[in-house]
Amino acid sequence: MLTKRIIPCLDIINRRVTKGVRFTNNIDLGDPVEMAVRYSDEGCDELVVYDITASAEQRPIDIGMVREVARAIRIPFAVGGGIATLDDMSRVLLAGAEKISVNSLAVRTPSIIADGARAFGNQCMVLGMDPVATADRTRCPSGYEVTTRGFRERTGMDAVAWARRAEALGAGEIVVNSVDADGTRAGFELTITRLIAEAVNVPVVASGGAGCAAHLRDAFTVAGADAVIVAGILHTGHTTLGQLKHALHADGVPVRMHW
Amino acid sequence: MLAIVDYKAGNLTSVQLAFGALGCDTTVTSDPAEIRAAERVVFPGVGAAGSAMSHLDALGLAPALRDVTARGTPFLGICLGTQILFDASEEDGGTVTLGLLPGRAVRFRPSDRRDKVPQIGWNQVKASRPHPLLAGIADESEFYFVHSYYPAPADPCLTLGTTCYAGVTFSSMVVRGNVAATQFHPEKSGRIGLRLLDNFLRWTPDT
């Protein structure tokens, strides 16, 4: 049986893993290569590395760091942030990453998804999106609107329609990072995750709001997510991958228990 | 020297890094002479069968692959490389592929919408029989998969491991003589995947 994936997320500023309170009150959590190795040793199923200031600073992604992470671990990882062109994608993949995550760029230039999928395969193209609940059901019939630029800009785009369009363009996986749940540790936003999981045929990753194993279980069993992203609760030592996996396993969720 | 065949079908960095971690020197090559001279050959690949076959044709690599597989060189296909070793693939409206193994690659057709295509993630491989390539690997260990098509060998004796997904039990690992092939990515499957690659480096096929 295909197991459900747990994916730690490393937000990077200046080659350091940083607590994911975006752009403000940043706390240094450690070296990205050391943390990637530690999580890999502890049984994470994949990793995602976001160079969170690259696009704000209009500089290319830190390829040296991608290369070091690739050398250090033997499991797949995705890279996001600061990717603007097919050349950027090519450099990230040649450095050893498996997947490219695009978010704001894809909203501005949706054709980048199709171009990337054609050049590198759908399996390389991950669409990240940051939906927020909205009362404007005229523009957003699902009740969720896509935001960009670290939640700062609303787009007027319906989150479910955008997920369908991204799949049609060639996205091989969709990360649903809820603006409302992000950083709360109160659980994933199950409603929008489920709406998107039911709307598309590619795997859906729940992100934002993980506080405990029961939240992960609900993302899998209630919302139908194929994978979850966790960050803060692991980085701060609130829990471990082992504890999360044992709890999920005990609840009957298929997870990888030996590695 | 171990040759990793480069036919413009995806990223070979992970394969190189994994063999590097085992202390093995590799050469990434599109040169038929270098492939023929190699002690071992790895044939990876991601992407689509149609464009992969076009690239192989343009590079004139099919005869070299035929030679090394016929001659007994230890050979390992991975993912798309595995699928196109067979006679044909359903991908791209039907593609004639290398025909080095009998059978074809067919698409997942899940009846349950919760089974997503592609299959992405870690799934179990159940050994059909003992084999040196599986030495030291617990049965039903998980390996990393990313694929929408799967191998369907015409001869069930080829199957070395099976995996269940989207309502089918498919051959996730096959072997015939010196030709072994996995649908999963051993190079991305952590310590267990490395063990399989290390077994491949030590493998002396019966001829």
Side-chain angles (χ1 to χ4, degrees), chain B residues 56-80:
Chain B
L56 279 178
D57 285 345
L59 292 163
L61 288 179
L65 296 172
R66 197 170 307 277
D67 287 352
V68 296
T69 53
R71 180 199 292 163
T73 306
F75 186 98
L76 179 65
I78 297 173
C79 195
L80 178 65

Side-chain angles (χ1 to χ4, degrees), chain B residues 129-169:
Chain B
R129 57 192 145 96
H131 192 278
L133 289 171
L134 296 172
I137 296 172
D139 195 18
E140 303 190 35
S141 287
E142 280 109 359
F143 290 87
Y144 191 79
F145 289 82
V146 181
H147 63 130
S148 300
Y149 296 78
Y150 60 89
D155 177 358
C157 296
L158 264 56
T159 300
L160 183 54
T162 57
T163 296
C164 301
Y165 188 67
V168 295
T169 299

Side-chain angles (χ1 to χ4, degrees), chain A residues 9-32 35 39 50 52-53 182-185 210 230-238:
Chain A
C9 171
L10 306 179
D11 283 340
I12 309 292
I13 295 179
N14 298 327
R15 272 206 191 198
R16 301 291 293 177
V17 178
T18 302
K19 190 164 190 253
V21 180
R22 293 179 187 227
F23 306 113
T24 53
N25 303 323
N26 293 312
I27 300 167
D28 185 325
L29 294 166
D31 175 71
M35 288 180 71
Y39 289 143
Y50 286 120
I52 57 174
T53 52
D182 192 72
T184 62
R185 296 195 187 179
V230 286
I233 53 169
L234 291 179
H235 299 333
T236 57
H238 178 70

Side-chain angles (χ1 to χ4, degrees), chain B residues 4-123:
Chain B
I4 300 171
V5 181
D6 180 6
Y7 58 108
K8 316 290 174 236
N11 181 6
L12 305 177
T13 309
S14 302
V15 179
Q16 269 181 289
L17 288 173
F19 281 108
L22 293 167
C24 170
D25 279 340
T26 57
T27 178
V28 172
T29 180
S30 307
D31 176 2
E34 214 166 5
I35 292 166
R36 285 192 173 91
E39 290 161 38
R40 289 169 199 275
V41 174
V42 176
F43 186 51
V46 296
S51 65
M53 289 309 297
S54 307
H55 289 310
L56 279 178
D57 285 345
L59 292 163
L61 288 179
L65 296 172
R66 197 170 307 277
D67 287 352
V68 296
T69 53
R71 180 199 292 163
T73 306
F75 186 98
L76 179 65
I78 297 173
C79 195
L80 178 65
T82 294
Q83 293 175 12
I84 64 176
L85 289 176
F86 289 90
D87 298 313
S89 169
E90 288 184 354
E91 197 168 13
D92 296 319
T95 304
V96 175
T97 51
L98 290 164
L100 301 174
L101 294 174
R104 40 194 214 113
V106 298
R107 189 173 168 88
F108 285 120
R109 292 187 180 80
S111 52
D112 185 338
R113 281 210 68 182
R114 285 173 299 183
D115 290 330
K116 304 301 178 76
V117 179
Q119 168 172 233
I120 298 183
W122 300 78
N123 201 338

Side-chain angles (χ1 to χ4, degrees), chain A residues 119-159:
Chain A
F120 311 114
N122 297 27
Q123 80 291 337
C124 287
M125 296 303 300
V126 180
L127 175 78
M129 68 154 84
D130 301 331
V132 66
T134 176
D136 183 356
R137 294 261 176 176
T138 316
R139 283 201 303 179
C140 301
S142 71
Y144 292 87
E145 178 179 358
V146 175
T147 69
T148 59
R149 292 174 40 82
F151 311 161
R152 285 170 297 178
E153 272 178 25
R154 289 182 170 243
T155 63
M157 290 162 63
D158 180 76

